[in-house]
Amino acid sequence: MKSLSFNIQGMHCASCAVRNEKSLNSLPGVTEAVVNLALNKAQVEFDDTKISEHDLHQAVIKNGYKVAVHTKHAEHDHGADEAEVSGIKHKAIIALILAVPVAVLAMAEIKLGFYFWGRDLSLWLQAILGSVVIIITGLEFHLGLLKRLRFLSANMDTLISLGTLAAFFYSWWILFDSGMELYFETGAIITAFILLGRYLEAKSRGRASAAIKKLLELGAKTARRVRVDGTEEQVPIEEVMIGDKLLIKPGEKIPIDGKVLSGESSVDESMLTGESLPVGKKIGDEIFGATLNINGVLTIIVTKVGEGTVLAQIVKVVSEAQTKKAPIQKLADKISGIFVPIILVIAAATVAVWYFTTGDLNQGLMSAVAVLVIACPCALGLATPTAIMVATGTGAKRGVLIKNAESLERGSKIQVVIFDKTGTLTQGKPIVTDIVPQADYQIEAVLKLAYSLEKLSEHPLAQAVVNKAESLKIASAEVSSFINISGQGVSALLGDKKIRVGNLRWLKNEGVLLGNIEGAAGQLEAEAKTVVGVAEDNKLMGLIAIADAIKNDSIATIAALQKKNIRVVMMTGDNLRTGQAIAKQLGITEVLAEILPQGKAAAVAKIQAENLKVAFVGDGINDAPALVQADLGLAMGTGTDIAIEAGGMVLMQGSPLKVLEALYLTKRTFRIIKQNLFWAFVYNLAAVPLAALGFLNPIIAAGAMALSSVSVVSNSLRLKRFKL
């Protein structure tokens, strides 16, 4: 079996993706073919003894699309090209600018009093401006029509082209025949609105690949390699090989995966693990590329390069999840599979029936034009984009950024919400929660000594102590002979007394007498808090407990979700004891603990396998695969850019309460979209027979079509009144 990935150019709607997917899956030797509209990408599993890559490409080409094979440099160049999106935007703007005066001149029946060839100048302006909009800005629709005719296929673009061209040619005929009842504004308005919707869709598709691009940018570009003679050289990361020795200085990004050969340090792995506390590294410990070396000098031996690294694996998981997650079939495109051919048949039959029954070809042509105009899917095209536009504006005001229409449908069906712990339910930044002094000491004295030492350290736990002391306006003491013991603590001299601040195991090994305070320490640790001791010489002065504080509205959010019968799960890289302690505070009964970055997407998939719709809420780089895997990814706007790009929605204020608003807004918005599609189709269903029978002339048909568009827009505007 062989796997092939290639880009498909020219897809504009879900029916395009479905058609190509069906064509590929129908080929002998193809095991599975998935066409992803968001990425404009086909992923095919096939038996290369039965079918060739050329045959796969030809199946797509025969449908009227172009194929672009992935290269090494373009492997992750997914989604809509920026130039293409910009081009659609400019065409939409031009179409709207020109269509407005055409509509005003036509609807107000304005006469300018200047005549050419017996027609008022206003009519010629309608003809010229309308023609530019219909033919020039709408050229892609007409070229698509020719392409579909060549391959005997049709989609919603077919009706757009036929409807606007019908209005175009009929209007020019009327202009020279009688000069009355022109329909240029109909074709121009249809073209402008459809182009606007096309731009919104292209823009949302273009964001799909940003997560992968940003992930790839995380890795170091160069590495400091140690030669055999001990000298150093700066080399591109591509030249680093397994077995090479690399030197990493404090503050530098670790270039690639390996093991520590010499040195000790604390490493910030939050970019990969999402956990805020640094991890102590010593000889023999594994170390990962894209993480940050904090305070020590490390020499490592490279153990993995290229696709074998942890960062590369995360990229792979995100990429695969995006490919496998097929876009939701838009209802309008589902309808088009039946609707388009039927309308074409009705229009042709209308001309024939009128001609053969009455001999009146003119009436037959007028009725056929009316059929195409009333059937032109302006309302169907507006149904989703207008609701998205209003919902996006409403959501943004309330701190919820909606990125695509698919997220709306998925969000409306969510049954389980999985929260990543760090930075989502918690602040993601350690703070001092408790200070427990020994009987002979005061809280202020314990904190002052700890502050005096910790202000000299760059450790996040030290920063928590510093922030606490400064908030209480406690003055520090001047110390000397400061020493940082990586992974253990710090020590210094205050006069002739030796002060130590660090973990209790280290203090005990240093000869500090802990007394009866170990019980209090155990209780604090059971509450998921990190405990450090403060010692003067060999006597423990007290304990300082540090924890990642729970966000103010986390508990209320979880309670509200559970009240709505939504299952709530907390996911964390912490050990089970710590995870359960935090979950208990939050009111969560289900905890997924010790989940590695590579395992987060799998954990989501496991719950999805229970036939449940899952939303995942996260903020870290390590959350990107899970955000993509979930039916709905909710990224905290206070988190990383990668998580934000991978998520289907962004909670811009970083508040868990925004999860509630996001889910409620999705339910309301998708309900509006379904209503829009229903009423838009009802207009067609009711009006098409009337048009075919001659009860609707093209201008009335255009009015009915405009009315259907107005109803869709008005219904969408109800989302402005959305409240939690």
Side-chain angles (χ1 to χ4, degrees), residues 200-411:
L200 294 172
E201 292 175 1
K203 187 177 180 182
S204 66
R205 289 200 305 269
R207 293 181 176 141
S209 64
I212 294 176
K213 291 178 180 178
K214 288 183 180 284
L215 279 170
L216 292 171
E217 292 171 0
L218 277 179
K221 304 299 185 291
T222 62
R224 186 181 289 102
R225 185 163 59 191
V226 181
R227 298 189 182 98
V228 178
D229 60 3
T231 59
E232 302 170 11
E233 61 176 341
Q234 203 79 18
V235 297
I237 197 66
E238 292 81 10
E239 295 183 11
V240 175
M241 302 176 64
I242 294 175
D244 284 349
K245 293 181 181 178
L246 306 179
L247 183 69
I248 303 109
K249 296 181 179 180
E252 292 184 343
K253 184 180 290 185
I254 292 167
I256 208 158
D257 295 11
K259 284 189 177 181
V260 179
L261 284 179
S262 65
E264 290 188 3
S265 183
S266 295
V267 176
D268 181 0
E269 295 185 345
S270 60
M271 291 185 293
L272 294 178
T273 67
E275 299 301 323
S276 57
L277 298 180
V279 180
K281 298 291 183 180
K282 60 184 185 302
I283 295 174
D285 287 346
E286 288 188 337
I287 204 158
F288 308 105
T291 58
L292 184 66
N293 185 27
I294 296 177
N295 54 14
V297 178
L298 296 174
T299 302
I300 70 168
I301 184 169
V302 178
T303 56
K304 295 177 182 177
V305 296
E307 295 182 355
T309 64
V310 171
L311 180 62
Q313 289 299 308
I314 293 177
V315 171
K316 182 181 179 183
V317 171
V318 174
S319 181
E320 288 180 351
Q322 288 184 337
T323 303
K324 292 177 180 178
K325 186 172 291 183
I328 295 175
Q329 292 291 311
K330 294 181 175 66
L331 294 178
D333 289 312
K334 289 180 179 180
I335 294 170
S336 72
I338 302 172
F339 184 63
V340 174
I342 289 177
I343 293 300
L344 295 177
V345 171
I346 292 174
T350 298
V351 177
V353 170
W354 275 101
Y355 180 72
F356 288 112
T357 57
T358 67
D360 191 346
L361 180 60
N362 184 58
Q363 181 61 50
L365 289 172
M366 287 186 64
S367 298
V369 170
V371 168
L372 289 172
V373 170
I374 194 68
C376 195
C378 186
L380 284 171
L382 288 170
T384 297
T386 55
I388 293 172
M389 288 175 66
V390 180
T392 299
T394 302
K397 290 179 181 178
R398 305 185 68 87
V400 178
L401 177 62
I402 302 169
K403 294 175 63 178
N404 51 60
E406 286 80 4
S407 297
L408 294 167
E409 182 167 354
R410 294 169 183 154

Side-chain angles (χ1 to χ4, degrees), residues 96-144:
L96 285 168
I97 291 173
L98 297 180
V100 170
V102 175
V104 172
L105 290 170
M107 295 177 181
E109 298 183 357
I110 296 173
K111 304 295 182 184
L112 299 178
F114 299 96
Y115 291 87
F116 299 92
W117 290 288
R119 304 287 182 259
D120 190 90
L121 178 60
S122 67
L123 300 181
W124 290 109
L125 287 175
Q126 292 178 50
I128 295 170
L129 295 178
S131 296
V132 172
V133 175
I134 296 169
I135 302 301
I136 305 300
T137 64
L139 184 62
E140 64 178 276
F141 304 132
H142 313 313
L143 294 177

Side-chain angles (χ1 to χ4, degrees), residues 6-151:
F6 57 90
N7 281 343
I8 301 176
Q9 299 175 350
M11 295 194 301
H12 298 296
C13 63
S15 60
C16 298
V18 170
R19 181 173 179 80
N20 284 311
E21 193 170 283
K22 286 182 177 179
S23 297
L24 290 168
N25 279 309
S26 67
L27 297 174
V30 173
T31 305
E32 182 184 20
V34 177
V35 176
N36 191 310
L37 177 63
L39 303 176
N40 291 320
K41 178 182 176 182
Q43 186 73 37
V44 187
E45 301 289 335
F46 66 103
D47 186 346
D48 58 351
T49 63
K50 297 181 179 179
I51 192 168
S52 67
E53 294 182 8
H54 178 265
D55 294 331
L56 298 175
H57 295 161
Q58 285 301 308
V60 172
I61 293 171
K62 287 180 180 179
N63 288 333
Y65 302 92
K66 295 180 179 180
V67 171
V69 182
H70 283 286
T71 65
K72 180 180 180 181
H73 301 289
E75 184 177 356
H76 300 290
D77 187 21
H78 304 304
D81 183 79
E82 291 183 4
E84 179 187 357
V85 176
S86 179
I88 297 173
K89 178 183 179 181
H90 291 152
K91 285 193 288 186
I93 292 172
I94 293 171
L96 285 168
I97 291 173
L98 297 180
V100 170
V102 175
V104 172
L105 290 170
M107 295 177 181
E109 298 183 357
I110 296 173
K111 304 295 182 184
L112 299 178
F114 299 96
Y115 291 87
F116 299 92
W117 290 288
R119 304 287 182 259
D120 190 90
L121 178 60
S122 67
L123 300 181
W124 290 109
L125 287 175
Q126 292 178 50
I128 295 170
L129 295 178
S131 296
V132 172
V133 175
I134 296 169
I135 302 301
I136 305 300
T137 64
L139 184 62
E140 64 178 276
F141 304 132
H142 313 313
L143 294 177
L145 171 64
L146 295 175
K147 195 181 292 182
R148 300 292 173 272
L149 290 175
R150 178 184 173 188
F151 298 103

Side-chain angles (χ1 to χ4, degrees), residues 395 399-403 633-638 643-645 647-653 658 662:
V400 178
L401 177 62
I402 302 169
K403 294 175 63 178
L634 294 164
M636 291 292 186
T638 52
I644 291 171
E645 293 293 344
M649 292 187 181
V650 181
L651 311 180
M652 294 183 289
Q653 297 176 10
K658 295 302 172 182

